Amino acid sequence: MSALLELTGVIGGYSPELPILHGIDMQVDAGEFVTIIGPNGAGKSTAMKAIAGLVRITEGRVTLDGRDITNHPTEEMAEAGMAFVPQTANIFTTLTIDENLKLGAHTLPRKQAAQRIAQAYERFPDLVKFRDSAARSLSGGQRQMLAVARALLCAPRLVMLDEPSAGLAPNIVQDVFVMLRRLADDGVAVLMVEQNAKGAMAVSDRTYVLAEGENRISGTSQEMLNNPEVKAIYLGNAGRKSA
Amino acid sequence: MIQAIADGLSTGAIIALGAMGVTLVMGILRFTNFAHAEYLTWGAYMALAVLSVTGLDAGQTGPFRFGLGLVLATVIAVVLTVALALAIDYLVFRRLRGRVNHITLVFASFGVALIVRYSIHLIFGGAAHYYSNDLQIAWLIGDGLRVMPDQALVFALALLVSVVLFLFLKYSALGLAMRGVAENPALAAINGVHFRKILFWTWAIGGGLAAVSGVFYGMTVQIRPDMGFQLLLPIFAAAILGGIGNVVGALFGGFIVALIEAIALLWIPAGYKIAVPFVVLLLVLWLCPRGLFKGSSGGSK
Amino acid sequence: MTGLLAYFVFFATIATIYAIIVMGLNIQWGFTGLFNAGVVGFYAIGAYACAILTGPARDTLIGGFGMPFLVGLAGAALAAALAGLVVALITLRLSEEYLAIATFGIGLTVQLVALNAAGLTGGANGLYGLPRPFWSLFDSVQAFNLFYLVFVVVIGLLVWALLARLVRSPWGRLLRAIREDDVAARSLGKNPVSVRVQSFVIGSAIMGTAGALYTGYVGFISPIDFIPILTFQIWAMLIVGGSGSLLGGVIGSFVIWLIWTGSGTLLSRLAPPDLQAQSSAVQVVLIGLIIVLTILIRPRGLIGEKSAVSSKK
Ligand SMILES: Nc1ncnc2c1ncn2[C@@H]1O[C@H](COP(=O)(O)OP(=O)(O)O)[C@@H](O)[C@H]1O
Ligand SMILES: [Mg+2]
């Protein structure tokens, strides 16, 4: 039971009659960088939302550090040490950059919040000049930066990101991956859903393949990169699967 | 004309206070509460009840019929109105939220409105009441413009309240969290915002504003069981005109609706008074459904 | 005919007219999920349209065309449909609560017009001396009343048959599809907004028809017949019966109308004279409680099998 995050036989979905996840098993160790890939509609986003408490789990369990967090209120996720960057609508477009960060840090003591926000601006200097403009004016890459910066404010032990590279220019994608790799090296566990399978596997430690709400193949990213089945389906024309 | 504008400003202040509450609830809790206007009525009657139970006089401050007695009564009325709003949420809306189609919540709010309005009717009777029977001498401004001191006071206090509300939403941590929930409740939860806390404060602010608005209406017009009902359309028109979720917009919306109403009544028969905000509402929905001051969020849907 | 039977005929006629309004509301809410907060407005438009078309000419009035009742009936349906069309076109492309607000406004505005446009509606005095269809064929009021009950029931059955057919037709299936899933319907190449507008207009026309039937029955209408509470009575009838169920709606109409008149009689006997005015407030609170409690406890209604709340979001 050394895993930081562990999913055992998770079944759930948007309505009880129609489960999307049909028994997902997954593990993420402390400081590990794990990628989830799979075709569109596989249930990758749904799985992340289930961990975050945004989608109801009807059977199975989710544990964090051995503690049961199945259907844990989303509001308490940050205090539990988890952060989540959803696939869409992951920043408040009507709030300013500063307000987005303040809201992200609002559970922290005032002084610490200010400190962390300052650190966030150091890590993402591009955001500084937009401090007081509405987040809707940011470009796609800047939005993603803001979303990640916000997620890191509470110094989580686990960060979940849903397709952080979607819509970004190729060179920025690489920056994002490298940044996440560093984060993992610093001891923060990273769980990332990606369509850019090749790039994601190149930087991550392990990879899961989901399809139709079930686990398909999993292993170290190295093994997976060389797995003939994975190669055929996801790497043959990398990126084409994304929609 | 100038007289109409002056009268419109004091009515506008009352509508604006109601509309700011409605727009907050619509923006954050995402449903149109048709019972909201009844909270105004309830607030007005609670202040009246406090005066009659304690035997206090509305009192007098300078030229205004807003003395210690009525101030105290207003404070208690605010508390009792917030209590009503929370109780109704607890008993009705909370049980439906997330469980049924959200228009069913709107439907339930209609039933709630009936219960509240006619319970008031039952308890206090249908006759009009006043906080003070003292007559007030109008201020004469320039030649021919007559302004009741109470009207001026209501206007000034409403502006004050809205400035405070604006600053609260803009600069306080709680206000920030409320704006966050208004835009994206799921993301707010991910940020660690507790919905229940926001729910509480939304009703507290909405109910409090309604009570103040009701007392102001009672001061400058009269207290009747159907006062809220009569204000419902102007309040909705103001909220929609201002853009759902936009408090400053609702403030201006309130004044615009009241001014249009006051000026229109120079030409059309008084019997059609309520139809004016309705026509304004239809025009806004037709021409710029997101309001003149664009809503801060996707609105109530 | 004994007094009791005469009362029953009266009671049943009014309840049937309400049942027809409920059918109109059923297509809007039960089958399409559209919230109409101004039912009374569409009903009143129908009643006045019929009165103006069929009424005798009078110097003080603009209307009074003395047309046959069937023309009045058709005109009533048309006028209400037109009002429905305007509101629907303005609000149905927007968030669904705007329809609720706009219809609420229609209900109020129609009452204002009825009260104030004296040249058209007779103002507070109303329109009187309106012809009752086939009145001359009967030699007693009782016989006419009995005939009229049958007449109203026949019209009610026709409306029922029409709705039942509509619901089973491809158009009805489209309605359900849209209610369940807007996006899917759109991807089939159907425009959900226009289908909603159609449904709303049909419902409004049915309400207008009911208004004409009322005019033809009493021969005298005034704004008091169209107070806002009627909207909520109709809603209570629909939801108690179970929206989406035609039979439920009819039963709900009779049950609620019985509760309303019964509680009214009871209160007027029991309440001391100086509290009479207040006692009618009890009746309205009762309607409010019926609505809220039904939504909370039995959202499927007491009779109908279909969900009153158009399914989970
Ligand atoms: N909000 C939702 N409500 C209902 N069904 C949804 C919702 N979001 C996604 N789904 C369904 O769940 C399934 C999995 O979707 P998702 O988890 O988003 O896939 P992925 O992220 O792997 O592309 C799909 O069939 C999709 O249609
Ligand atoms: Mg996804």
Side-chain angles (χ1 to χ4, degrees):
Chain A
M1 267 298 192
S2 63
L4 176 62
L5 177 78
E6 180 157 16
L7 278 68
T8 335
V10 168
I11 298 178
Y14 300 90
S15 70
E17 311 91 63
L18 194 77
I20 304 283
L21 308 173
H22 303 284
I24 301 281
D25 298 308
M26 207 176 277
Q27 285 195 5
V28 182
D29 288 332
E32 197 183 18
F33 190 162
V34 175
T35 306
I36 305 175
I37 60 172
N40 252 322
K44 306 181 297 295
S45 297
T46 307
M48 287 213 154
K49 287 189 236 169
I51 299 169
L54 289 164
V55 159
R56 185 127 198 103
I57 296 172
T58 47
E59 265 176 69
R61 339 197 294 131
V62 181
T63 57
L64 186 74
D65 245 356
R67 194 163 72 93
D68 192 332
I69 57 160
T70 316
N71 293 321
H72 198 65
T74 308
E75 289 102 306
E76 285 160 24
M77 190 172 69
E79 277 132 292
M82 291 200 293
F84 177 34
V85 179
Q87 184 174 358
T88 53
N90 52 24
I91 57 168
F92 295 102
T93 54
T94 56
L95 306 184
T96 65
I97 310 311
D98 223 34
E99 287 173 337
N100 267 280
L101 294 175
K102 274 194 184 133
L103 194 49
H106 86 286
T107 50
L108 301 174
R110 190 174 285 259
K111 221 163 132 197
Q112 199 179 14
Q115 223 170 27
R116 296 271 178 81
I117 291 176
Q119 283 169 4
Y121 282 126
E122 268 167 45
R123 198 197 290 247
F124 300 98
D126 282 4
L127 294 176
V128 176
K129 61 176 178 292
F130 299 108
R131 274 190 107 102
D132 295 315
S133 21
R136 76 166 78 80
S137 60
L138 295 182
S139 73
Q142 291 163 338
R143 283 176 186 225
Q144 213 61 36
M145 266 183 228
L146 176 59
V148 174
R150 192 278 303 159
L152 297 179
L153 284 171
C154 291
R157 288 181 293 165
L158 169 73
V159 186
M160 301 192 289
L161 306 105
D162 196 346
E163 303 200 17
S165 78
L168 300 189
N171 55 328
I172 302 182
V173 171
Q174 208 44 46
D175 292 350
V176 171
F177 286 170
V178 167
M179 185 203 76
L180 294 174
R181 179 69 252 172
R182 282 215 199 100
L183 208 60
D185 293 342
D186 289 346
V188 180
V190 178
L191 179 62
M192 173 174 80
V193 168
E194 257 303 325
Q195 290 285 359
N196 181 348
K198 209 175 201 163
M201 285 195 260
V203 291
S204 62
D205 300 316
R206 274 189 316 118
T207 298
Y208 286 92
V209 178
L210 295 192
E212 290 164 14
E214 288 171 11
N215 289 78
R216 282 295 147 87
I217 325 164
S218 61
T220 65
S221 297
Q222 206 54 49
E223 284 165 18
M224 300 286 276
L225 272 168
N226 297 316
N227 181 312
E229 199 180 333
V230 175
K231 255 183 172 161
I233 306 176
Y234 300 105
L235 302 179
N237 40 12
R240 284 280 302 283
K241 286 250 165 208
S242 55
Chain B
M1 183 70 146
I2 294 187
Q3 185 68 48
I5 290 175
D7 294 340
L9 287 179
S10 93
T11 318
I14 290 164
I15 296 173
L17 288 176
M20 287 193 284
V22 156
T23 210
L24 211 60
V25 173
M26 276 170 111
I28 294 172
L29 305 181
R30 287 155 191 265
F31 83 104
T32 305
N33 180 17
F34 276 80
H36 195 93
E38 310 306 333
Y39 300 171
L40 267 73
T41 316
W42 176 265
Y45 274 95
M46 288 304 107
L48 185 72
V50 170
L51 288 183
S52 80
V53 168
T54 57
L56 281 173
D57 203 61
Q60 190 91 18
T61 311
F64 311 116
R65 295 180 301 179
F66 194 61
L68 202 60
L70 192 51
V71 171
L72 184 75
T74 307
V75 172
I76 297 176
V78 165
V79 173
L80 291 173
T81 308
V82 172
L84 177 77
L86 289 171
I88 288 172
D89 188 75
Y90 184 81
L91 290 173
V92 183
F93 302 142
R94 182 189 58 114
R95 283 161 212 273
L96 299 172
R97 194 172 292 124
R99 205 162 63 78
V100 298
N101 184 309
H102 97 286
I103 195 77
T104 304
L105 243 80
V106 178
F107 182 13
S109 79
F110 264 94
V112 169
L114 274 195
I115 297 172
V116 175
R117 186 183 333 135
Y118 284 90
S119 298
I120 292 171
H121 198 293
L122 197 63
I123 299 167
F124 295 93
H129 292 276
Y130 300 89
Y131 293 124
S132 161
N133 291 319
D134 300 340
L135 284 180
Q136 206 173 24
I137 299 158
W139 286 334
L140 272 171
I141 300 170
D143 45 19
L145 181 62
R146 299 162 63 84
V147 178
M148 287 297 181
D150 282 355
Q151 286 183 318
L153 177 72
V154 161
F155 176 73
L157 286 179
L159 280 189
L160 183 72
V161 168
S162 39
V163 168
V164 171
L165 179 62
F166 174 76
L167 295 177
F168 163 79
L169 286 172
K170 181 99 181 129
Y171 295 108
S172 75
L174 189 57
L176 178 61
M178 290 175 90
R179 284 186 288 145
V181 173
E183 179 183 329
N184 185 341
L187 187 59
I190 291 169
N191 276 270
V193 175
H194 285 254
F195 182 74
R196 292 188 143 212
K197 184 172 158 192
I198 301 302
L199 182 78
F200 174 87
W201 284 106
T202 306
W203 286 123
I205 296 170
L209 290 172
V212 172
S213 172
V215 170
F216 285 176
Y217 189 86
M219 272 169 70
T220 51
V221 189
Q222 56 183 196
I223 308 157
R224 275 202 332 265
D226 69 340
M227 56 188 263
F229 184 72
Q230 302 289 336
L231 285 169
L232 191 56
L233 274 182
I235 286 175
F236 278 141
I240 293 171
L241 194 68
I244 299 304
N246 184 339
V247 185
V248 181
L251 176 71
F252 286 107
F255 287 119
I256 293 172
V257 169
L259 287 177
I260 293 178
E261 188 179 275
I263 292 170
L265 285 179
L266 295 176
W267 289 285
I268 65 168
Y272 292 107
K273 189 171 170 216
I274 317 179
V276 177
F278 179 56
V279 173
V280 173
L281 184 97
L282 283 187
L283 285 177
V284 173
L285 288 182
W286 187 32
L287 299 174
C288 52
R290 306 208 59 199
L292 298 183
F293 307 87
K294 82 175 166 246
S296 64
S297 71
S300 46
K301 193 164 184 181
Chain C
M1 234 177 354
T2 68
L4 200 61
L5 188 59
Y7 182 75
F8 172 76
V9 170
F10 164 77
F11 175 90
T13 308
I14 299 292
T16 307
I17 290 175
Y18 287 168
I20 295 174
I21 313 181
V22 172
M23 287 187 226
L25 189 59
N26 221 334
I27 186 159
Q28 295 176 342
W29 173 254
F31 298 127
T32 327
L34 303 174
F35 192 81
N36 183 343
V39 173
V40 69
F42 298 93
Y43 175 61
I45 288 174
Y48 274 99
C50 176
I52 290 164
L53 287 171
T54 63
R58 262 190 278 265
D59 312 338
T60 50
L61 292 179
I62 300 165
F65 298 106
M67 303 226 203
F69 184 72
L70 287 182
V71 175
L73 208 57
L78 201 68
L82 224 78
L85 183 67
V86 172
V87 192
L89 283 181
I90 293 183
T91 60
L92 278 183
R93 61 202 162 91
L94 310 172
S95 157
E96 48 198 338
E97 33 232 304
Y98 289 141
L99 178 71
I101 298 173
T103 46
F104 176 79
I106 287 272
L108 279 183
T109 309
V110 168
Q111 227 218 350
L112 287 189
V113 173
L115 261 175
N116 295 293
L120 193 66
T121 63
N125 295 328
L127 297 168
Y128 44 88
L130 304 168
R132 305 177 188 196
F134 313 107
W135 174 258
S136 55
L137 300 182
F138 301 94
D139 45 16
S140 75
V141 178
Q142 282 95 337
F144 169 79
N145 283 351
L146 205 55
F147 153 76
Y148 205 84
L149 174 60
V150 175
F151 178 64
V152 168
V153 168
V154 167
I155 302 250
L157 287 175
L158 285 177
V159 173
W160 179 320
L162 176 86
L163 287 191
R165 264 189 89 121
L166 269 179
V167 171
R168 266 180 279 118
S169 72
W171 184 81
R173 282 199 293 279
L174 193 58
L175 271 192
R176 270 193 299 282
I178 286 170
R179 208 184 65 176
E180 318 275 88
D181 191 348
D182 209 285
V183 184
R186 210 184 288 269
S187 67
L188 289 173
K190 308 293 181 189
N191 179 358
V193 173
S194 89
V195 178
R196 285 205 185 95
V197 170
Q198 289 162 18
S199 159
F200 192 79
V201 168
I202 293 174
S204 306
I206 293 173
M207 293 171 188
T209 308
L213 290 174
Y214 181 75
T215 300
Y217 181 49
V218 294
F220 162 62
I221 56 169
S222 74
I224 302 175
D225 296 320
F226 309 103
I227 49 175
I229 181 65
L230 185 64
T231 294
F232 299 98
Q233 290 173 338
I234 299 295
W235 269 104
M237 292 167 183
L238 178 74
I239 187 172
V240 163
S243 57
S245 153
L246 289 172
L247 176 66
V250 173
I251 298 175
S253 305
F254 277 75
V255 170
I256 293 294
W257 186 230
L258 188 67
I259 292 177
W260 178 264
T261 51
S263 61
T265 314
L266 208 65
L267 284 166
S268 66
R269 294 258 170 84
L270 297 182
D274 52 326
L275 287 180
Q276 286 291 341
Q278 249 136 305
S279 75
S280 69
V282 175
Q283 284 179 283
V284 186
V285 171
L286 204 61
I287 293 286
L289 280 174
I290 288 174
I291 290 178
V292 173
L293 290 178
T294 313
I295 295 177
L296 283 177
I297 300 165
R298 297 216 40 164
R300 280 155 195 277
L302 303 183
I303 301 141
E305 69 282 21
K306 308 233 175 52
S307 170
V309 290
S310 20
S311 77
K312 205 173 143 170
K313 195 167 181 180

